[in-house]
Amino acid sequence: MVSELRCYTEPAFFEKAQHYQAVLSSRGVTLQIDVIDKLNARFLRLHPDMALCVDADGLWLCALGMKMQPDWQAEIPRLKRASLKSEMLARACNLAEKPQLIDATAGLGHDSLLMAHLGAEVTLVERHPILFSLLEDSYQRALQDPFLSKVAARIHLVFSDSADYLKAQAEAGQAVDVVYLDPMFPQRDQNQQAVKKQAQVKKQMQLLHLLLPEHGEMDLGDALLPLAQKIAKRVVVKRPRLAVYLAGQTPDHQWTGDACRFDAYFQQDATKVNG
Ligand SMILES: C[S@@+](CC[C@H](N)C(=O)[O-])C[C@H]1O[C@@H](n2cnc3c(N)ncnc32)[C@H](O)[C@@H]1O
């Protein structure tokens, strides 16, 4: 995982950059701040290596000439169209019941944003220090947004490895309605259609693919399923449509769409399926 990174900023945002430097340092990442005259598209093209940058819109990851952040504002039109009936995710997680939910693989927080919008009380757990800091920054901006602030009020962020977090919840006797898992899945193992879609993957998703290892050390999240089952009435796993089951465990129920599916695992006494 990246432990040192450059951070570009303009003089007007130097203090802001120092704030992120302190935050990331507490999470094990050293930022070297470079103050430059103009943090514009030309500068980013000339400096294609992965770095962070800070400007009026907060913290960004930049690489390959692009700026990327988990853009929750851009999700607003989707949230406005979404309903409990139209969203497979809503049916899989039984959001009509307004569950207490742990999203143990938060990433850019997009799935959680949708689930919180549709009524869930969501705890997002993310272990990657840079991704978590970008997520936290999006969350802070959401709290200031007239539409997103109501959704963000149902969101809680935790910087942790979910294996540790889920174990601690079990030890404390804390149960939840749903644990949601969307671990990384190697692109090479996905079916052709999914790979084609990945090729047109949105700029924001490229952020995940830049930060998270695609080969060798990728953690496929199998260990999270039994830990989640200890504390949740329902565990929902998002998978590419034709992917193998998480931890090789056959689900109790499935919802399948064009590109992905949701596998659900129920506690013995909670097998009622809605939708
Ligand atoms: C595919 S992304 C999730 C995308 C997310 N559903 C969204 O809507 O943006 C997987 C994320 O889970 C995180 N992750 C994987 N295993 C984890 C673990 N054990 N603890 C915490 N985070 C984990 C990765 O760092 C990555 O950010």
Side-chain angles (χ1 to χ4, degrees):
M1 209 174 283
V2 184
S3 61
E4 275 185 21
L5 211 55
R6 270 176 196 280
C7 174
Y8 300 118
T9 193
E10 294 176 1
F13 306 109
F14 180 61
E15 272 184 28
K16 223 171 164 184
Q18 282 185 312
H19 161 74
Y20 292 117
Q21 185 182 44
V23 168
L24 273 149
S25 165
S26 73
R27 296 176 183 151
V29 179
T30 305
L31 289 193
Q32 187 203 311
I33 301 177
D34 276 4
V35 182
I36 54 164
D37 282 346
K38 280 253 168 288
L39 186 52
N40 53 19
R42 182 167 183 277
F43 177 88
L44 294 177
R45 267 200 314 278
L46 292 173
H47 298 81
D49 288 347
M50 187 161 71
L52 288 171
C53 55
V54 175
D55 64 14
D57 297 320
L59 185 68
W60 299 77
L61 186 78
C62 54
L64 314 171
M66 297 181 296
K67 272 166 73 184
M68 294 156 272
Q69 65 180 177
D71 189 354
W72 287 7
Q73 294 269 347
E75 294 293 304
I76 293 177
R78 171 159 192 229
L79 297 182
K80 287 186 172 167
R81 283 195 309 272
S83 71
L84 289 169
K85 273 200 172 156
S86 67
E87 294 292 335
M88 204 162 59
L89 177 61
R91 299 199 296 279
C93 293
N94 200 14
L95 297 184
E97 297 288 318
K98 304 205 179 308
Q100 294 282 341
L101 189 148
I102 296 172
D103 177 349
T105 52
L108 304 177
H110 291 163
D111 290 335
S112 273
L113 194 63
L114 178 66
M115 295 190 283
H117 172 64
L118 292 175
E121 194 73 29
V122 188
T123 299
L124 284 84
V125 189
E126 173 57 55
R127 69 178 169 191
H128 193 294
I130 297 172
L131 211 39
F132 182 81
S133 303
L134 290 163
L135 197 58
E136 194 175 47
D137 203 48
S138 291
Y139 169 75
Q140 291 299 337
R141 273 193 307 281
L143 288 174
Q144 309 305 319
D145 180 279
F147 180 84
L148 291 176
S149 57
K150 288 185 259 38
V151 185
R154 285 195 288 278
I155 285 179
H156 316 272
L157 300 182
V158 176
F159 174 52
S160 170
D161 190 305
S162 285
D164 299 334
Y165 183 77
L166 293 171
K167 269 183 221 158
Q169 295 295 107
E171 277 161 22
Q174 296 284 347
V176 285
D177 299 309
V178 183
V179 171
Y180 176 69
L181 301 172
D182 175 17
M184 296 302 281
F185 194 81
Q187 287 188 54
R188 62 181 182 277
D189 292 350
Q190 296 184 23
N191 65 77
Q192 275 315 102
Q193 197 188 359
V195 170
K196 229 172 171 178
K197 285 202 170 164
Q198 290 274 354
Q200 303 147 5
V201 88
K202 289 196 294 190
K203 205 167 156 184
Q204 290 180 43
M205 284 308 285
Q206 292 183 25
L207 190 159
L208 276 181
H209 291 282
L210 277 169
L211 280 175
L212 303 171
E214 177 61 17
H215 300 289
E217 43 174 322
M218 185 186 259
D219 170 4
L220 301 179
D222 291 308
L224 296 179
L225 181 55
L227 293 172
Q229 284 174 304
K230 283 199 178 134
I231 62 159
K233 291 186 197 144
R234 176 185 293 224
V235 181
V236 175
V237 183
K238 184 179 185 179
R239 307 296 276 163
R241 192 167 66 89
L242 300 178
V244 294
Y245 298 134
L246 189 64
Q249 205 176 311
T250 307
D252 298 311
H253 197 79
Q254 286 188 309
W255 290 261
T256 306
D258 292 341
C260 77
R261 62 165 211 266
F262 296 101
D263 295 345
Y265 302 84
F266 304 119
Q267 253 176 10
Q268 294 302 335
D269 56 353
T271 46
K272 187 168 166 277
V273 180
N274 295 292

